[in-house]
Amino acid sequence: MLSEYSISDLRCITPVKVIKNSSVVVKENIIASVGKTAEHDFRTGKKYYLYPALVNIHDHFRGNYLPRVGPSKGTFYLNWAPWDDDLKSSPVYEERANVSVEDCYLLSSYKNIFSGVVTTNDHFPHKLNDDILPGLPLRVIREYALEHECSSYDLKWGDGIEIEHKRAVDQDIPFITHLEEGFDEESQSGIDILEKLGCLDDHDVLIHCIGFSDLDIEKVKDAGAHVAWCPASNMLMFNVTCKIKKILQRGINVSIGTDSTHTGSVNILEEMRYAREIYRNLYNADLDAKELVKMVTTNPARAFRMDSKIGSIAEGKLADLLLLKPQVKDPYEALVQAEPEDIALLLQEGSPIYGDLEFRELFEKRNVEFSEITLKGFSKLVKGDPAHLLKRVQENVGFAKELDFIPLDVNNV
Ligand SMILES: [Fe+2]
């Protein structure tokens, strides 16, 4: 196996700073150095930008299927519970039942990989995903404590708020929960519930938060808790999102998450663009591209308590890297505007999981089991075999099902 190599002649977006004419050396699974080269060097000819691989803070791996399920035209939900009813009575839910759980997890893996994500969370009970996660072609974190929702609508995914939160504190892992996803009195009491139980602190990763009052925002700030912002999902279900401007102004750590494609965007790149669009619509102001990039790199790494390992490019961190063929010059704007086909190489711990044909040698020398695919007309290499996966899904549902988050040509498979 190729244990040490470098990628050189690139622009490095750490993302806190931009380093021109740079390079990275990967040794085993870590970034051994920035600015040096190794004997085995992949020169990119100055055409590439290098970022930390992306982190999608919120997803549900069983829930990625299309089309979306939402309220009937012109109406919106008061809380998430009627959405759950609509989902379970929808034809798409029935159709998805023909796809095995394992294949749902693989579909979700490629949704994330094709958009540059190497680390994410399947917000779901451990007993239902523990056996599946280690075999997936990307990192889906296994070290987390959770609740479904801190309200009486809670689906009891964990062992209870206090036990789960204590587990997070004891093990130094995140406590992840939907919170205040709605407008009725019960949905809006999430912060009060956490506070009364002594469970509001910096372990908390709070998803959605659309019911937050100004006082709730102050409490979250004081506690050092983290917010997961899923604007596409919020707007589809509720026609409103959280008070994002105020939350950002208070300096709360915000990360962007896709949620599942039953309600959210098709991938994290689309979700970043949607976040910017909705911010512009709400406040008539631009959300800075650098801030958006941090919301899918450094910020979620911190929320997951993994920032010593992932989320930025620095010596000693895991070599989770995204090499991009930029379509615009500005290095932050280039990532915000990126499409799956623009990703030249995606590395998890130094081993490629997705990329261009020019990196075939790296796939081979790192002993990755990979396949060649045609994605939106572009030839790519990817860990595993998503084309046969999609073909199998099509056979199981009985027609040529298309999923926008897996834009593969499977005609020749
Ligand atoms: Fe969710």
Side-chain angles (χ1 to χ4, degrees):
M1 186 176 101
L2 182 64
S3 61
E4 187 174 10
Y5 65 91
S6 54
I7 309 173
S8 68
D9 220 7
L10 47 79
R11 189 174 290 204
C12 184
I13 298 96
T14 70
V16 175
K17 61 181 177 181
V18 177
I19 311 169
K20 288 182 182 173
N21 302 321
S22 192
S23 55
V24 290
V25 175
V26 173
K27 192 169 184 183
E28 306 291 351
N29 64 337
I30 65 158
I31 299 168
S33 70
V34 179
K36 295 179 185 166
T37 53
E39 194 178 324
H40 199 120
D41 183 41
F42 295 87
R43 285 183 74 80
T44 76
K46 293 192 193 318
K47 57 187 176 181
Y48 292 122
Y49 289 176
L50 187 73
Y51 306 83
L54 309 189
V55 183
N56 178 6
I57 198 158
H58 185 57
D59 204 340
H60 301 277
F61 269 47
R62 288 183 197 219
N64 287 311
Y65 206 74
L66 289 166
R68 289 159 131 193
V69 175
S72 49
K73 207 170 180 332
T75 66
F76 296 98
Y77 299 129
L78 196 59
N79 56 53
W80 66 269
W83 170 79
D84 201 45
D85 295 339
D86 283 353
L87 172 71
K88 285 169 182 160
S89 60
S90 74
V92 71
Y93 189 78
E94 204 177 313
E95 178 189 309
R96 198 193 70 188
N98 295 302
V99 183
S100 70
V101 169
E102 288 75 13
D103 280 354
C104 283
Y105 272 78
L106 283 171
L107 291 173
S108 301
S109 299
Y110 290 108
K111 161 193 164 178
N112 282 287
I113 287 171
F114 292 150
S115 58
V117 171
V118 163
T119 305
T120 186
N121 172 230
D122 171 38
H123 189 215
F124 213 51
H126 286 286
K127 61 177 181 284
L128 296 175
N129 69 16
D130 242 5
D131 293 342
I132 304 174
L133 301 188
L136 298 180
L138 78 170
R139 181 184 303 110
V140 186
I141 63 168
R142 298 179 71 194
E143 296 77 23
Y144 62 93
L146 85 161
E147 276 300 314
H148 166 257
E149 158 100 41
C150 297
S151 74
S152 63
Y153 306 127
D154 180 24
L155 293 177
K156 315 280 185 236
W157 283 355
D159 292 330
I161 297 170
E162 287 164 287
I163 292 171
E164 290 285 334
H165 185 268
K166 183 175 183 309
R167 187 171 291 148
V169 173
D170 290 349
Q171 298 180 19
D172 192 24
I173 57 177
F175 169 72
I176 301 172
T177 181
H178 294 116
L179 201 79
E180 302 208 9
E181 191 185 11
F183 298 103
D184 55 310
E185 198 179 336
E186 177 68 13
S187 295
Q188 293 192 316
S189 62
I191 287 294
D192 296 336
I193 290 170
L194 285 173
E195 192 179 32
K196 275 187 197 125
L197 295 173
C199 296
L200 181 61
D201 68 14
D202 64 352
H203 293 81
D204 300 1
V205 178
L206 309 174
I207 304 151
H208 298 311
C209 311
I210 62 173
F212 273 13
S213 65
D214 289 352
L215 183 58
D216 288 339
I217 292 172
E218 291 308 313
K219 287 177 178 176
V220 168
K221 166 66 182 166
D222 291 346
H226 312 269
V227 166
W229 183 30
C230 308
S233 175
N234 299 158
M235 294 305 291
L236 176 84
M237 292 171 67
F238 304 103
N239 198 31
V240 73
T241 188
C242 61
K243 296 176 176 175
I244 188 64
K245 189 175 184 184
K246 199 163 272 182
I247 289 170
L248 289 171
Q249 280 174 341
R250 292 301 292 124
I252 292 167
N253 184 42
V254 174
S255 308
I256 293 173
T258 57
D259 216 344
S260 81
T261 54
H262 273 322
T263 55
S265 298
V266 294
N267 62 38
I268 197 78
L269 298 170
E270 291 288 340
E271 193 76 40
M272 287 166 79
R273 290 189 278 272
Y274 188 82
R276 173 183 257 185
E277 181 188 327
I278 202 69
Y279 192 92
R280 193 178 289 129
N281 291 346
L282 287 172
Y283 307 112
N284 196 26
D286 195 37
L287 193 49
D288 185 55
K290 186 175 181 180
E291 290 307 309
L292 285 163
V293 170
K294 284 160 69 178
M295 288 183 201
V296 295
T297 54
T298 50
N299 296 5
R302 207 174 121 211
F304 282 160
R305 310 180 83 76
M306 295 175 72
D307 48 336
S308 64
K309 296 178 185 163
I310 64 167
S312 58
I313 299 176
E315 290 173 11
K317 296 210 174 183
L318 293 175
D320 289 3
L321 298 166
L322 190 170
L323 191 66
L324 187 76
K325 291 175 281 190
Q327 300 301 321
V328 296
K329 195 171 177 201
D330 180 272
Y332 298 103
E333 202 62 57
L335 185 63
V336 174
Q337 295 189 24
E339 295 288 348
E341 62 270 28
D342 300 329
I343 296 171
L345 185 65
L346 186 65
L347 299 173
Q348 178 184 355
E349 300 194 22
S351 290
I353 57 176
Y354 174 55
D356 282 341
L357 303 191
E358 66 176 298
F359 293 103
R360 184 184 292 272
E361 182 195 3
L362 189 57
F363 277 82
E364 289 170 350
K365 291 198 165 167
R366 294 287 291 202
N367 301 329
V368 177
E369 284 188 26
F370 66 96
S371 58
E372 188 170 334
I373 53 170
T374 305
L375 179 141
K376 294 165 79 176
F378 295 86
S379 294
K380 295 277 187 181
L381 304 177
V382 65
K383 185 178 179 181
D385 193 351
H388 276 99
L389 164 69
L390 186 54
K391 196 85 176 167
R392 186 165 63 241
V393 168
Q394 291 179 340
E395 283 165 9
N396 289 342
V397 298
F399 67 102
K401 178 73 181 177
E402 290 184 8
L403 293 162
D404 290 352
F405 55 91
I406 310 215
L408 299 183
D409 178 358
V410 295
N411 287 331
N412 298 321
V413 170

PDB file of all heavy atoms in Angstrom, residues 58-60 123 178 181 207-208 259-260, ligand 1:
ATOM      1  N   HIS A  58     -26.495  16.834   9.827  1.00  0.00           N
ATOM      2  CA  HIS A  58     -27.780  16.191  10.118  1.00  0.00           C
ATOM      3  C   HIS A  58     -28.355  15.474   8.908  1.00  0.00           C
ATOM      4  O   HIS A  58     -28.633  16.090   7.876  1.00  0.00           O
ATOM      5  CB  HIS A  58     -28.784  17.235  10.621  1.00  0.00           C
ATOM      6  CG  HIS A  58     -30.089  16.638  11.048  1.00  0.00           C
ATOM      7  ND1 HIS A  58     -30.179  15.664  12.009  1.00  0.00           N
ATOM      8  CD2 HIS A  58     -31.366  16.855  10.641  1.00  0.00           C
ATOM      9  CE1 HIS A  58     -31.440  15.316  12.169  1.00  0.00           C
ATOM     10  NE2 HIS A  58     -32.181  16.014  11.353  1.00  0.00           N
ATOM     11  N   ASP A  59     -28.548  14.171   9.072  1.00  0.00           N
ATOM     12  CA  ASP A  59     -29.164  13.367   8.021  1.00  0.00           C
ATOM     13  C   ASP A  59     -29.883  12.192   8.692  1.00  0.00           C
ATOM     14  O   ASP A  59     -29.674  11.912   9.889  1.00  0.00           O
ATOM     15  CB  ASP A  59     -28.074  12.852   7.046  1.00  0.00           C
ATOM     16  CG  ASP A  59     -28.643  12.524   5.667  1.00  0.00           C
ATOM     17  OD1 ASP A  59     -29.868  12.321   5.547  1.00  0.00           O
ATOM     18  OD2 ASP A  59     -27.853  12.477   4.710  1.00  0.00           O
ATOM     19  N   HIS A  60     -30.749  11.552   7.922  1.00  0.00           N
ATOM     20  CA  HIS A  60     -31.405  10.311   8.368  1.00  0.00           C
ATOM     21  C   HIS A  60     -31.206   9.317   7.237  1.00  0.00           C
ATOM     22  O   HIS A  60     -31.795   9.486   6.158  1.00  0.00           O
ATOM     23  CB  HIS A  60     -32.902  10.520   8.601  1.00  0.00           C
ATOM     24  CG  HIS A  60     -33.238  11.566   9.617  1.00  0.00           C
ATOM     25  ND1 HIS A  60     -33.245  11.316  10.970  1.00  0.00           N
ATOM     26  CD2 HIS A  60     -33.566  12.871   9.474  1.00  0.00           C
ATOM     27  CE1 HIS A  60     -33.590  12.423  11.617  1.00  0.00           C
ATOM     28  NE2 HIS A  60     -33.782  13.382  10.734  1.00  0.00           N
ATOM     29  N   HIS A 123     -29.160  10.390  12.258  1.00  0.00           N
ATOM     30  CA  HIS A 123     -29.898  10.649  13.496  1.00  0.00           C
ATOM     31  C   HIS A 123     -30.974   9.573  13.656  1.00  0.00           C
ATOM     32  O   HIS A 123     -32.092   9.692  13.141  1.00  0.00           O
ATOM     33  CB  HIS A 123     -30.516  12.055  13.444  1.00  0.00           C
ATOM     34  CG  HIS A 123     -31.100  12.485  14.748  1.00  0.00           C
ATOM     35  ND1 HIS A 123     -32.221  13.257  14.851  1.00  0.00           N
ATOM     36  CD2 HIS A 123     -30.717  12.242  16.026  1.00  0.00           C
ATOM     37  CE1 HIS A 123     -32.509  13.465  16.118  1.00  0.00           C
ATOM     38  NE2 HIS A 123     -31.614  12.862  16.851  1.00  0.00           N
ATOM     39  N   HIS A 178     -33.448  16.758  17.717  1.00  0.00           N
ATOM     40  CA  HIS A 178     -34.303  17.780  17.122  1.00  0.00           C
ATOM     41  C   HIS A 178     -34.795  18.657  18.271  1.00  0.00           C
ATOM     42  O   HIS A 178     -35.024  18.166  19.382  1.00  0.00           O
ATOM     43  CB  HIS A 178     -35.533  17.152  16.463  1.00  0.00           C
ATOM     44  CG  HIS A 178     -35.240  16.289  15.265  1.00  0.00           C
ATOM     45  ND1 HIS A 178     -35.489  14.945  15.236  1.00  0.00           N
ATOM     46  CD2 HIS A 178     -34.751  16.600  14.049  1.00  0.00           C
ATOM     47  CE1 HIS A 178     -35.170  14.456  14.041  1.00  0.00           C
ATOM     48  NE2 HIS A 178     -34.710  15.430  13.301  1.00  0.00           N
ATOM     49  N   GLU A 181     -39.009  22.101  16.789  1.00  0.00           N
ATOM     50  CA  GLU A 181     -39.364  21.989  15.372  1.00  0.00           C
ATOM     51  C   GLU A 181     -40.876  22.149  15.247  1.00  0.00           C
ATOM     52  O   GLU A 181     -41.602  21.197  14.970  1.00  0.00           O
ATOM     53  CB  GLU A 181     -38.913  20.639  14.789  1.00  0.00           C
ATOM     54  CG  GLU A 181     -39.034  20.601  13.268  1.00  0.00           C
ATOM     55  CD  GLU A 181     -38.707  19.244  12.651  1.00  0.00           C
ATOM     56  OE1 GLU A 181     -38.588  18.264  13.402  1.00  0.00           O
ATOM     57  OE2 GLU A 181     -38.575  19.190  11.419  1.00  0.00           O
ATOM     58  N   ILE A 207     -31.124  20.572  16.629  1.00  0.00           N
ATOM     59  CA  ILE A 207     -31.489  20.568  15.208  1.00  0.00           C
ATOM     60  C   ILE A 207     -32.805  21.310  14.998  1.00  0.00           C
ATOM     61  O   ILE A 207     -33.800  21.015  15.658  1.00  0.00           O
ATOM     62  CB  ILE A 207     -31.627  19.114  14.704  1.00  0.00           C
ATOM     63  CG1 ILE A 207     -30.340  18.342  14.969  1.00  0.00           C
ATOM     64  CG2 ILE A 207     -31.982  19.078  13.231  1.00  0.00           C
ATOM     65  CD1 ILE A 207     -30.575  16.862  15.170  1.00  0.00           C
ATOM     66  N   HIS A 208     -32.795  22.235  14.087  1.00  0.00           N
ATOM     67  CA  HIS A 208     -33.937  23.032  13.591  1.00  0.00           C
ATOM     68  C   HIS A 208     -34.137  24.330  14.377  1.00  0.00           C
ATOM     69  O   HIS A 208     -33.962  25.399  13.855  1.00  0.00           O
ATOM     70  CB  HIS A 208     -35.240  22.226  13.526  1.00  0.00           C
ATOM     71  CG  HIS A 208     -35.153  21.071  12.600  1.00  0.00           C
ATOM     72  ND1 HIS A 208     -34.671  21.188  11.334  1.00  0.00           N
ATOM     73  CD2 HIS A 208     -35.472  19.745  12.771  1.00  0.00           C
ATOM     74  CE1 HIS A 208     -34.696  19.994  10.739  1.00  0.00           C
ATOM     75  NE2 HIS A 208     -35.163  19.103  11.586  1.00  0.00           N
ATOM     76  N   ASP A 259     -30.756  17.314   6.515  1.00  0.00           N
ATOM     77  CA  ASP A 259     -31.919  16.508   6.883  1.00  0.00           C
ATOM     78  C   ASP A 259     -32.068  15.451   5.783  1.00  0.00           C
ATOM     79  O   ASP A 259     -31.221  15.326   4.906  1.00  0.00           O
ATOM     80  CB  ASP A 259     -33.179  17.366   7.040  1.00  0.00           C
ATOM     81  CG  ASP A 259     -34.086  16.876   8.172  1.00  0.00           C
ATOM     82  OD1 ASP A 259     -33.900  15.730   8.625  1.00  0.00           O
ATOM     83  OD2 ASP A 259     -34.957  17.641   8.602  1.00  0.00           O
ATOM     84  N   SER A 260     -33.132  14.654   5.806  1.00  0.00           N
ATOM     85  CA  SER A 260     -33.276  13.654   4.746  1.00  0.00           C
ATOM     86  C   SER A 260     -33.889  14.307   3.512  1.00  0.00           C
ATOM     87  O   SER A 260     -34.491  15.380   3.595  1.00  0.00           O
ATOM     88  CB  SER A 260     -34.163  12.502   5.214  1.00  0.00           C
ATOM     89  OG  SER A 260     -35.521  12.866   5.096  1.00  0.00           O
TER      90      SER A 260
HETATM   91 FE    FE B   1     -34.206  15.464  11.088  1.00  0.00          FE
END
